[in-house]
Amino acid sequence: MAHSLYQRDILSISDLNLVEINRIVELAQHIKQQQSTPWLNGKILANCFFEPSTRTRLSFASAMLRCGGQTLGFSDVATTSGSKGESLTDSMRVIGDYADVIVLRHPNEGAARVAAAATTTPVINGGDGSNQHPTQTLADLFSFAECQTTLTDLHVALVGDLKYGRTVHSLAQACALYNIRLFFVAPEHLFMPEHVCNILRRQGVKFSFHRSLSDVISKVDIIYMTRLQKERLLQTDDTWVNTSWRITPASLHHAKPNLKIFHPLPRTDEIDYRIDDTPYAYYFTQAKNAVYVRQALLSLLLQEEIPHV
Ligand code: NCD
């Protein structure tokens, strides 16, 4: 019988259980050590990006090529029939016949689910509006485990635009599986949305709200920074654009020795460039690790047998 990840859609982090997430993370650890996964010869990945991306699109392409597969796709919707008015459903139905797996990024919440309903080809959500970014979370969990040698019982601060940031919505939900304690640090108008908080309450996640990083700096193992999601703000909300939060070397005086700073990137001005050369910086390793995690995920989605490692 095929394993449970074979041919699956990955639309939300809550689609995956603890065993499945651990399986992806462990395979990624093996791939990082061995550097060789020629498991996907002849398979094709379609990168369908209706929104800008650097890391997600290119790390999926890199992962597929490193696994021996090939890629096609688009990153400028103006070059597609979407600009002529074609529906997402029709596009996905057709692209599903051209590829073995689709990675979709789209500005609309729920777009990945619409795509998955249109084709039997597995769809991976590469970010749908402010909603979810499940494969970023898989990469984040891999990197948490790598830098802290465990995933359980960590103390993690999520900082910045918690209202519109899809990476933190996915990550917060995954933290329930590992008994991770969360500290939300954000201006009041960018707090974690109530619907996400309600899910966390139901899951028994411990979390608290803070206005300033200095309130929590001595307690946390990981600071997860995010940028203001300017593209999701309403045009009329000028004041929001002036919101800022920033880590400088001075912010870290009371940090724990094991503290690591994460950011899904791109950074705007939330992390002072002087942090890059400190032992606290982990964001570039986090970005690199995303390739191993995406290799592991693609290998599991596209192979009936779990790769022999
Ligand atoms: C994030 C995204 O697109 O949600 N980037 C990424 O995929 N690494 C974060 C962001 O754009 O702020």
Side-chain angles (χ1 to χ4, degrees):
M1 202 174 78
H3 61 86
S4 66
L5 287 163
Y6 181 59
Q7 292 290 313
R8 277 269 291 279
D9 297 313
I10 308 294
L11 307 179
S12 164
I13 196 67
S14 55
D15 294 343
L16 298 171
N17 64 34
L18 182 66
V19 172
E20 290 164 342
I21 293 178
N22 286 343
R23 175 167 287 160
I24 296 163
V25 169
E26 281 159 22
L27 182 58
Q29 286 163 342
H30 170 83
I31 291 169
K32 185 166 184 177
Q33 281 154 19
Q34 301 297 314
Q35 300 284 335
S36 162
T37 47
W39 293 321
L40 299 179
N41 288 330
K43 301 286 186 194
I44 298 173
L45 176 146
N47 256 332
C48 301
F49 278 67
F50 291 82
E51 258 197 350
S53 169
T54 300
R55 272 149 294 273
T56 304
R57 183 167 61 84
L58 294 182
S59 67
F60 263 113
S62 174
M64 194 61 179
L65 295 170
R66 285 172 194 268
C67 286
Q70 290 174 298
T71 72
L72 48 79
F74 59 85
S75 56
D76 178 0
V77 77
T79 65
T80 72
S81 290
S83 66
K84 301 179 191 168
E86 184 172 50
S87 68
L88 181 64
T89 298
D90 281 0
S91 298
M92 290 296 124
R93 185 171 174 165
V94 173
I95 294 167
D97 290 333
Y98 298 165
D100 300 291
V101 59
I102 295 171
V103 180
L104 176 74
R105 171 167 289 186
H106 200 281
N108 295 348
E109 300 191 7
R113 217 163 275 285
V114 170
T119 175
T120 54
T121 298
V123 173
I124 299 175
N125 183 0
D128 60 331
S130 299
N131 185 32
Q132 282 276 317
H133 195 346
T135 65
Q136 179 67 46
T137 296
L138 294 171
D140 296 341
L141 293 174
F142 174 96
S143 293
F144 284 9
E146 182 176 73
C147 68
Q148 302 292 344
T149 66
T150 178
L151 265 175
T152 45
D153 302 329
L154 293 171
H155 284 196
V156 175
L158 304 183
V159 182
D161 185 349
L162 307 186
K163 181 170 181 180
Y164 293 107
R166 54 195 170 204
T167 59
V168 284
H169 298 163
S170 292
L171 180 57
Q173 290 179 47
C175 287
L177 300 172
Y178 298 97
N179 196 34
I180 292 175
R181 164 70 162 94
L182 292 172
F183 300 83
F184 298 150
V185 183
E188 198 173 347
H189 55 275
L190 295 175
F191 270 2
M192 187 62 88
E194 202 45 31
H195 74 270
V196 178
C197 292
N198 283 336
I199 294 171
L200 300 179
R201 284 187 193 100
R202 279 201 298 278
Q203 291 174 316
V205 178
K206 290 200 182 72
F207 60 90
S208 48
F209 298 97
H210 306 269
R211 296 283 168 77
S212 161
L213 193 56
S214 58
D215 296 349
V216 302
I217 187 72
S218 62
K219 298 182 193 146
V220 296
D221 307 298
I222 286 167
I223 295 174
Y224 194 100
M225 296 296 288
T226 62
R227 72 178 171 95
L228 184 68
Q229 303 283 300
K230 286 187 180 157
E231 67 272 41
R232 307 204 195 287
L233 300 180
L234 301 174
Q235 295 289 323
T236 47
D237 289 323
D238 294 342
T239 50
W240 292 19
V241 180
N242 295 324
T243 305
S244 73
W245 44 88
R246 185 171 168 80
I247 295 190
T248 65
S251 326
L252 299 174
H253 280 154
H254 300 290
K256 290 173 71 173
N258 64 317
L259 174 77
K260 295 291 180 224
I261 299 170
F262 278 59
H263 194 309
L265 302 176
R267 108 175 103 180
T268 46
D269 59 355
E270 319 69 57
I271 302 179
D272 189 310
Y273 277 79
R274 287 172 296 169
I275 301 283
D276 296 4
D277 300 322
T278 70
Y280 300 118
Y282 214 71
Y283 26 95
F284 291 117
T285 308
Q286 175 192 7
K288 179 177 170 182
N289 285 340
V291 178
Y292 307 120
V293 172
R294 289 177 170 134
Q295 280 178 266
L297 179 66
L298 292 170
S299 299
L300 289 163
L301 294 187
L302 298 180
Q303 292 183 113
E304 205 165 343
E305 300 287 323
I306 294 185
H308 183 68
V309 293

